[in-house]
Structures are given as C-alpha cells and as structure tokens.
Amino acid sequence: IIETIICLSICASIQIVLGAPFLLTYPVSYIRKAFEFDRVFFFKWTVNWKFLPTEVFTSKLMSSSLLLLHIIVLCLFAVKWKR
C-alpha cells in the first residue's frame, strides 16, 4: 500500500505542476473543463456502443448511467482489494 501511495503522490504532483500555470491564472475555468460532465461524445467514434441508436447514446441519461455504473464497479473492487 505504501508503494501505491507513493506512485499516486507522484502522479498527483505531476498533474499539479503541469496544471499550476492554468490553476493560478484561471482556476474556475480549469476545474470546470477538467471535469466537464455535460459534454456529449460523438456517436461516429464509438465502437462498443454502435448497437444503440444515436439518440440513446448521446442522451444525458446514458452518460449519467455509465458514470454511475463506473463508480459502483470501482467501489466494489476497492472493497474487494481492501480485504
């Protein structure tokens, strides 16, 4: 676990150093764009979701559902890894 914390600290440090000029100049814009949850992906670039109609793929419900499912799966694995 110590090695993981060290590696994550290195990753976070690099992100902070690289983002510092932007964070210091335009902090709100930087954070807003870094976590832009309202953007819509282009249907033409998808490979795994081609079976869905365009309207379903680009819907807010679809993106929110995928995000929630991703978080749930990460939490389940975190519980498993903690044991």
Side-chain angles (χ1 to χ4, degrees), residues 23-76:
L23 278 169
L24 295 173
T25 310
Y26 303 106
V28 175
S29 297
Y30 182 80
I31 297 297
R32 190 175 291 152
K33 282 296 188 181
F35 300 101
E36 188 178 10
F37 292 120
D38 59 344
R39 80 171 158 230
V40 177
F41 294 105
F42 293 116
F43 184 71
K44 68 179 180 179
W45 295 112
T46 183
V47 174
N48 297 325
W49 299 100
K50 281 286 188 190
F51 62 91
L52 292 175
T54 307
E55 300 79 31
V56 174
F57 180 78
T58 57
S59 72
K60 185 75 171 168
L61 179 63
M62 174 72 171
S63 60
S64 299
S65 300
L66 285 175
L67 178 62
L68 181 64
L69 183 63
H70 185 84
I71 291 169
I72 289 170
V73 170
L74 287 175
C75 290
L76 289 173

Side-chain angles (χ1 to χ4, degrees), residues 1-32:
I1 290 197
I2 299 296
E3 290 177 13
T4 302
I5 293 172
I6 291 170
C7 289
L8 289 175
S9 299
I10 292 169
C11 292
S13 300
I14 291 170
Q15 290 296 315
I16 290 170
V17 168
L18 292 176
F22 306 104
L23 278 169
L24 295 173
T25 310
Y26 303 106
V28 175
S29 297
Y30 182 80
I31 297 297
R32 190 175 291 152

